[in-house]
Amino acid sequence: MITFDILTLFPEMLEGVINSSIIKRAIESGKIKVNLINFREFSKNKHQQVDDYAYGGGAGMLISVVPIYDALISIDGYQKAHKIITSPSGRTFNQKVAEELAEHDHIIIICGHYEGIDERIYHYVDDDISIGDYVLTGGEIPAMTILDAVARLVPDVIASDSIKNESFTMGLLEYPQYTRPAVFNDLAVPEVLLSGHHENIRKYQRYEALKKTYLKRPDLLEKAELSEEDLKMLAEIKGERWTKSKK
Ligand SMILES: C[S@@+](CC[C@H](N)C(=O)[O-])C[C@H]1O[C@@H](n2cnc3c(N)ncnc32)[C@H](O)[C@@H]1O
């Protein structure tokens, strides 16, 4: 069970995610817990303002460290929790980072907004995560991304078999999949998948996963663990002649 505490000025943005589909079921069955904390409620300003002009000038408003810090220390067990700040300058989120985060039992995610947050917030966090090289209006979409990707790795949130074969989990992109009808607008499902021959199906799926990865994300092949059979298939995909690799 993982508890997520999400500090945000816009909790309503996250409500759709926690009240729908698999994440909703995971919460209802007690596999994860999600608390949305509006740190505006921790503002000591009489208008509950949380942002201010930046020292030294610059466009836009910056969120003060004070209400975020106060919200943070109000969370039970915050000292031991894994505290993440969302920011375009953080380490890039990917499946490996999601797997690493899924080892924690308490995760706190801080969502910035406007021009960002006073730099001193970094003294109180353990991790700095970006979801990609682009700038969003706030950390809520990154927080949803992290929550969703990590929650589905919690045991029994989804079938463990699905996770095993997925894109990135096995170091490759996932092979193409089909469901009924067997023929749609002259597009037929590959015959081997209807054959019931498990070994041929396994080989076909591995070949297709390698082919898709080679064509769409060749960079992944550099780090993937490849067997002799994989290398032979890859050589065929690339149109090369395969020679047994020397160990
Ligand atoms: C407009 S952004 C601030 C950008 C900041 N001024 C900069 O140039 O790096 C406001 C907030 O959105 C969130 N954010 C924006 N893009 C993000 C990304 N790619 N990954 C993670 N968080 C992001 C962060 O929480 C950030 O504090």
Side-chain angles (χ1 to χ4, degrees):
M1 144 92 167
I2 305 184
T3 301
F4 296 87
D5 284 301
I6 301 177
L7 274 60
T8 168
L9 289 175
F10 300 95
E12 65 278 10
M13 284 179 75
L14 288 122
E15 270 156 18
V17 170
I18 65 173
N19 287 315
S20 320
S21 180
I22 295 169
I23 301 300
K24 179 184 182 189
R25 281 207 308 273
I27 295 170
E28 285 172 351
S29 61
K31 299 199 174 72
I32 61 166
K33 192 171 173 196
V34 183
N35 302 311
L36 303 179
I37 300 163
N38 188 340
F39 59 83
R40 191 180 294 284
E41 288 163 13
F42 290 80
S43 167
K44 295 192 177 80
N45 181 290
K46 72 172 177 192
H47 303 294
Q48 287 207 302
Q49 194 178 337
V50 291
D51 54 347
D52 212 331
Y53 295 101
Y55 282 118
M61 303 292 273
L62 208 59
I63 298 178
S64 161
V65 65
V66 184
I68 302 184
Y69 175 77
D70 288 342
L72 192 62
I73 63 169
S74 77
I75 298 169
D76 253 5
Y78 84 95
Q79 296 98 327
K80 284 193 181 160
H82 187 70
K83 296 172 276 294
I84 301 170
I85 186 162
T86 52
S87 123
S89 48
R91 61 177 176 144
T92 309
F93 191 63
N94 59 25
Q95 190 64 21
K96 207 157 177 281
V97 177
E99 283 164 15
E100 182 195 311
L101 295 179
E103 298 292 315
H104 294 279
D105 53 19
H106 188 182
I107 293 174
I108 299 176
I109 308 175
I110 299 171
C111 306
H113 224 91
Y114 313 122
E115 263 313 296
I117 305 173
D118 184 309
E119 192 72 11
R120 288 167 289 186
I121 193 64
Y122 285 95
H123 286 273
Y124 307 102
V125 298
D126 310 298
D127 206 348
D128 181 8
I129 292 185
S130 163
I131 60 160
D133 288 347
Y134 39 79
V135 180
L136 298 166
T137 55
E140 287 72 17
I141 292 171
M144 289 183 225
T145 305
I146 297 167
L147 166 67
D148 193 281
V150 175
R152 64 196 296 288
L153 297 175
V154 173
D156 300 327
V157 167
I158 55 171
S160 57
D161 271 5
S162 335
I163 294 179
K164 251 191 273 163
N165 292 322
E166 265 171 349
S167 296
F168 309 113
T169 306
M170 58 174 189
L172 301 176
L173 299 180
E174 193 180 46
Y175 48 80
Q177 298 194 85
Y178 304 85
T179 185
R180 279 189 287 193
V183 181
F184 173 71
N185 280 351
D186 291 340
L187 299 170
V189 170
E191 240 177 76
V192 60
L193 297 178
L194 312 175
S195 69
H197 192 299
H198 297 302
E199 180 54 11
N200 287 352
I201 292 174
R202 183 197 66 76
K203 279 191 184 155
Y204 164 82
Q205 289 176 332
R206 190 70 188 171
Y207 186 93
E208 291 300 319
L210 286 162
K211 187 164 123 193
K212 200 190 219 182
T213 310
Y214 173 67
L215 295 174
K216 295 189 172 187
R217 290 290 307 274
D219 56 302
L220 294 177
L221 290 173
E222 284 158 31
K223 288 187 207 141
E225 271 186 40
L226 301 176
S227 65
E228 289 291 333
E229 183 192 48
D230 290 336
L231 293 171
K232 195 172 171 185
M233 286 180 177
L234 255 182
E236 199 180 319
I237 291 162
K238 293 181 189 170
E240 293 170 10
R241 235 189 95 226
W242 180 76
T243 45
K244 199 171 188 322
S245 65
K246 293 186 190 84
K247 294 242 164 121

